[in-house]
Every structure is written in structure tokens, then in C-alpha cells.
Amino acid sequence: ALDALELDSDADFKAIKASYRRLAKEHHPDRQRGDKEAAKRFHAIQAAYEVLRKAEERKTGAKV
């Protein structure tokens, strides 16, 4: 998941969120109309963020 968000293994959640937002904007299907690779990348970015978000919620016990 960290690789999909182009992050190192020591990234904190603030860096994860920032990277997710940057990459999601860059690869969003509305922005890259007709680019199937960008759409696949966007979905991979979303899935990676969800995995890391849920892990952070389990770790902290609070919604993020």
C-alpha cells in the first residue's frame, strides 16, 4: 500500500493522506478522460489508502 502511494515504510499518516490526495487528483478519471491506465492507477491508490486508513484507525482507536 505504501508503494502505491509512493511512500517509504516510515511514513506517518499525515504524509499518507497528503500523498493520497496528490496522487488521486493527478490520476482521477475525470481529469484523465479516456486513459484506462490512469483509472486503474486511481483505483489502486484508493484501495491502498483505505488499507492504510483502516490500519491507522485500529492503531489509534479513532476515526481518521
Side-chain angles (χ1 to χ4, degrees), residues 2 23 34 44 49 55 64:
L2 290 169
L23 291 169
Y49 179 72
V64 209

Side-chain angles (χ1 to χ4, degrees), residues 48-61:
Y49 179 72
E50 282 302 308
V51 166
L52 295 169
R53 184 186 61 79
K54 288 179 182 178
E56 182 69 12
E57 285 178 355
R58 282 191 303 271
K59 185 173 118 183
T60 62

Side-chain angles (χ1 to χ4, degrees), residues 2-3 5-6 11 14 16 18-19 21 35 49 51 53 55:
L2 290 169
D3 286 341
L5 294 177
E6 302 174 355
K14 186 175 181 180
I16 291 169
S19 181
R21 287 181 180 203
D35 187 349
Y49 179 72
V51 166
R53 184 186 61 79

Side-chain angles (χ1 to χ4, degrees), residues 25-49:
K25 282 182 185 177
E26 184 179 328
H27 296 283
H28 196 280
D30 287 347
R31 198 156 185 208
Q32 304 290 331
R33 293 187 193 267
D35 187 349
K36 293 188 186 288
E37 287 302 313
K40 286 181 186 177
R41 178 85 172 111
F42 178 74
H43 291 294
I45 291 164
Q46 279 188 309
Y49 179 72

